Amino acid sequence: MISIDRKLRLRDLEIFRFFKDNKMLAYVIIEDTRGPFTEEDKKLEPLCFLDDEDINIIVNVFKIYFLSDEPLEKEDSMMLRQFFGELVDISSVTNYITQEFIQKDLYEHVDDSWDIKTHQRMLDIVGSKYKIQSIDEENWLNLSQE
């Protein structure tokens, strides 16, 4: 049995909890970078095997990070990559990359409050440059009406 719990949804960022057989499998972070592949991205497989011409036509990259406290089983990794890869819109100029990260003490620093610090810590672990902005309480009403 598989279930997904979205913990955060912003314009360019979503964070999910992914469960399999009632066990927490991984946190999944989808970030719309609104930019091309970075030089670090180009070193990852399979990008490192592509021509610069093929890589440089991509102007927008989604990054999908899988964050867990232990290595994912190969079958689970493939399932997550396929499932979340289908969630992002790709085109001739848009693509995505996936990366897995292991943080042994992950659950020691995550609680049910799900505050900005918790989310930002996850982004820092995976090396994202995204900074979550605080939401002014006066804007909550406007957010609920969108």
Side-chain angles (χ1 to χ4, degrees):
M1 180 172 149
I2 293 172
S3 65
I4 302 169
D5 179 20
R6 183 176 14 216
K7 301 310 287 180
L8 179 68
R9 182 178 185 184
L10 301 173
R11 179 176 169 225
D12 299 328
L13 182 75
E14 290 185 89
I15 299 178
F16 301 88
R17 287 189 304 179
F18 193 92
F19 296 88
K20 180 180 173 189
D21 299 327
N22 296 318
K23 179 185 176 226
M24 173 73 172
L25 192 61
Y27 290 100
V28 180
I29 302 166
I30 300 177
E31 178 184 357
D32 183 349
T33 67
R34 302 211 176 254
F37 290 114
T38 65
E39 291 305 314
E40 294 84 29
D41 295 341
K42 293 176 184 179
K43 296 175 186 172
L44 299 171
E45 286 188 31
L47 298 177
C48 63
F49 301 115
L50 298 177
D51 295 332
D52 282 342
E53 182 178 320
D54 294 333
I55 292 174
N56 292 334
I57 62 171
I58 303 298
V59 296
N60 188 41
V61 175
F62 286 90
K63 292 191 176 184
I64 304 173
Y65 308 106
F66 305 118
L67 179 59
S68 60
D69 65 338
E70 58 187 44
L72 295 171
E73 298 288 330
K74 185 172 179 91
E75 176 183 304
D76 292 335
S77 175
M78 296 304 294
M79 174 187 57
L80 286 170
R81 289 171 188 268
Q82 180 179 359
F83 181 85
F84 285 97
E86 291 177 7
L87 285 183
V88 297
D89 293 326
I90 59 170
S91 68
S92 61
V93 295
T94 303
N95 215 322
Y96 70 92
I97 56 175
T98 59
Q99 291 179 280
E100 294 181 23
F101 293 86
I102 301 165
Q103 182 70 33
K104 296 283 184 200
D105 64 347
L106 179 63
Y107 301 117
E108 293 174 24
H109 300 283
V110 175
D111 58 34
D112 290 332
S113 67
W114 286 95
D115 60 10
I116 291 175
K117 288 181 186 177
T118 300
H119 297 115
Q120 191 62 58
R121 181 175 180 275
M122 289 180 173
L123 293 172
D124 294 342
I125 290 170
V126 300
S128 171
K129 294 181 182 22
Y130 193 97
K131 298 296 178 205
I132 300 173
Q133 302 299 315
S134 297
I135 298 173
D136 187 348
E137 288 185 23
E138 293 177 15
N139 293 330
W140 278 110
L141 180 61
N142 294 336
L143 289 172
S144 66
Q145 295 173 353
E146 289 184 5

